[in-house]
């Protein structure tokens, strides 16, 4: 499972490398020859990549908490998540600004372009988290999980309610119908997201210190799902049995979504209505088909 989590992050390199080659208008700092294949790869990778990551992040987070306790968990997460974020964000942001300047100078024939300097993006609403947004969002989820766990512990000190109610419910939710159950909150969050760009799926919370609600719901559900599954690791064996059907569902839904929108990125916000609702539901189903299929396949074929 750790290999799958690492693989999901490594796919981010391919995902971002596809950006200069997308069909349609320029969406990235630089532009190269448009490629249908790389545009499709960009779309497909965005469907499942980060949901897989957050499911496994929640799964391992609870394991770490059980092993090290609250104090050890907090110290570990500060060292492994918060510290890299604080260390590398200035470097990443500086490099991106440098490339922006370089591209602008080249486009202006070697001289600095005329005009006023753009306003500073370093505000709460426009803070550029860039490619390290997932570390920032993880800190939100860790804090929320600790707070919720503390509240649950106060109500259910002996764990009887969790054993009698939560665990049986999870066995149902995480069973063969898991893609459908998990798609419901994700589809609703996407449909009701303000100015939702349907082609780009779950809106990436890479701008602003308050993550957008759709991303918090979609990735928060994934993190919480992984957290609860770690209470019953045997659930993974069920995913291993159904890996092919889940993965096939993910592929099928992705194809249907591409047929509905077309391959070229659409930059116009989706209009509310039945077609958008249908697309959001199919997209969410694809997200969880891919996610459970890939994790199940790893359990089936990579387990030592």
């Amino acid at each position: 499972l750790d290999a799958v989590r690492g693989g999901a992050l490594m796919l981010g390199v391919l995902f971002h490398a596809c950006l200069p080659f997308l069909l349609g208008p320029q969406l990235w700092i630089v532009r190269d020859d448009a490629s249908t294949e790389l545009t499709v790869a960009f779309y497909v990778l965005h469907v499942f990549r980060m949901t897989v990551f957050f499911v496994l992040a929640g799964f391992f987070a609870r394991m770490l908490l059980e092993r090290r306790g609250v104090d050890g968990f907090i110290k570990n997460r500060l060292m492994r998540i918060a510290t890299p974020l604080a260390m590398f964000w200035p470097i990443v942001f500086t490099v991106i600004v440098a490339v922006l300047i370089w591209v602008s100078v080249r486009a202006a024939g070697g001289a600095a372009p005329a005009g006023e300097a753009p306003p500073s993006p370093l505000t709460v609403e426009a803070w550029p988290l860039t490619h390290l947004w997932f570390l920032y969002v993880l800190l939100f989820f860790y804090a929320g999980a600790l707070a919720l766990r503390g509240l649950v512990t106060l109500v259910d000190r002996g764990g009887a309610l969790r054993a009698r109610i939560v665990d049986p419910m999870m066995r149902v939710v995480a069973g063969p119908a898991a893609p459908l159950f998990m798609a419901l909150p994700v589809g609703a969050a996407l449909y009701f997201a303000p100015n939702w760009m349907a082609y780009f799926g779950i809106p990436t919370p890479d701008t602003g210190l308050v993550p957008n609600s759709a991303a918090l719901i979609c990735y928060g559900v994934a993190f919480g799902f992984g957290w609860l599954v770690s209470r019953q690791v045997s659930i993974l064996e069920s995913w291993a049995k159904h890996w092919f059907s889940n993965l096939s569902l993910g592929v099928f839904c992705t194809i249907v979504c591409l047929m509905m929108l077309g391959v070229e990125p659409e930059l116009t916000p989706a209009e509310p209505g039945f077609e958008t609702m249908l697309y959001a539901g199919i997209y969410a189903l694809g997200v969880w088909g891919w996610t459970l299929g890939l994790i199940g396949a790893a359990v089936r074929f990579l387990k030592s």
Side-chain angles (χ1 to χ4, degrees):
L1 294 182
D2 201 31
V4 178
R5 180 173 58 173
L9 288 179
M10 289 302 296
L11 285 176
V13 178
L14 174 59
F15 172 78
H16 290 95
C18 291
L19 280 165
F21 302 93
L22 297 185
L23 299 172
Q26 181 173 342
L27 300 179
W28 190 232
I29 301 172
V30 294
R31 176 78 173 186
D32 213 310
D33 296 333
S35 166
T36 300
E37 292 80 8
L38 292 179
T39 302
V40 172
F42 170 88
Y43 181 91
V44 173
L45 289 173
H46 191 58
V47 172
F48 66 85
R49 189 174 59 89
M50 294 311 300
T51 301
V52 169
F53 170 81
F54 279 110
V55 169
L56 295 177
F59 184 90
F60 287 121
R62 185 184 173 277
M63 290 178 62
L64 181 66
L65 179 62
E66 293 297 311
R67 185 163 60 245
R68 300 199 178 188
V70 174
D71 290 344
F73 177 85
I74 293 174
K75 290 178 182 177
N76 180 274
R77 296 297 83 187
L78 288 175
M79 181 181 69
R80 300 293 297 272
I81 303 297
T83 300
L85 175 63
M87 288 178 60
F88 290 103
W89 179 85
I91 298 173
V92 173
F93 180 66
T94 301
V95 170
I96 290 176
V97 170
V99 173
L100 278 170
I101 295 172
W102 173 69
V103 170
S104 299
V105 170
R106 288 197 61 180
E116 296 183 2
S120 172
L122 301 181
T123 63
V124 172
E125 294 78 13
W127 191 281
L129 293 167
T130 66
H131 305 304
L132 301 183
W133 65 266
F134 68 98
L135 297 177
Y136 182 76
V137 171
L138 272 177
L139 295 177
F140 269 77
F141 293 159
Y142 292 144
L146 288 177
L148 187 59
R149 181 179 183 273
L151 181 61
V152 170
T153 302
L154 287 176
V155 176
D156 183 29
R157 292 184 179 275
L161 291 178
R162 279 167 282 178
R164 295 176 183 177
I165 299 176
V166 176
D167 290 347
M169 286 181 61
M170 275 303 299
R171 286 194 290 272
V172 173
V173 172
L180 179 60
F181 285 121
M182 301 308 298
L184 292 175
V186 173
L190 294 178
Y191 178 74
F192 291 107
N195 300 314
W196 180 45
M197 301 285 188
Y199 186 92
F200 298 95
I202 300 173
T204 303
D206 56 358
T207 302
L209 295 180
V210 179
N212 68 75
S213 58
L216 280 181
I217 293 172
C218 295
Y219 294 139
V221 164
F223 183 90
F225 185 68
W227 182 286
L228 292 176
V229 166
S230 72
R231 287 178 54 87
Q232 304 175 83
V233 181
S234 59
I235 289 175
L236 296 176
E237 298 299 332
S238 172
W239 296 359
K241 293 178 183 177
H242 300 287
W243 75 269
F244 185 77
S245 59
N246 283 331
L247 197 57
S248 298
L249 175 65
V251 173
F252 175 76
C253 290
T254 302
I255 293 173
V256 172
C257 287
L258 280 171
M259 291 175 64
M260 293 177 70
L261 287 189
V263 173
E264 185 173 320
E266 176 59 59
L267 301 181
T268 305
E271 294 289 337
F274 175 76
E275 186 174 349
T276 299
M277 185 181 297
L278 180 63
Y279 176 87
I282 296 174
Y283 189 94
L285 200 58
V287 168
W288 282 97
W290 276 103
T291 298
L292 299 179
L294 289 172
I295 296 175
V299 176
R300 170 67 177 81
F301 297 107
L302 301 182
K303 185 177 179 181
S304 58

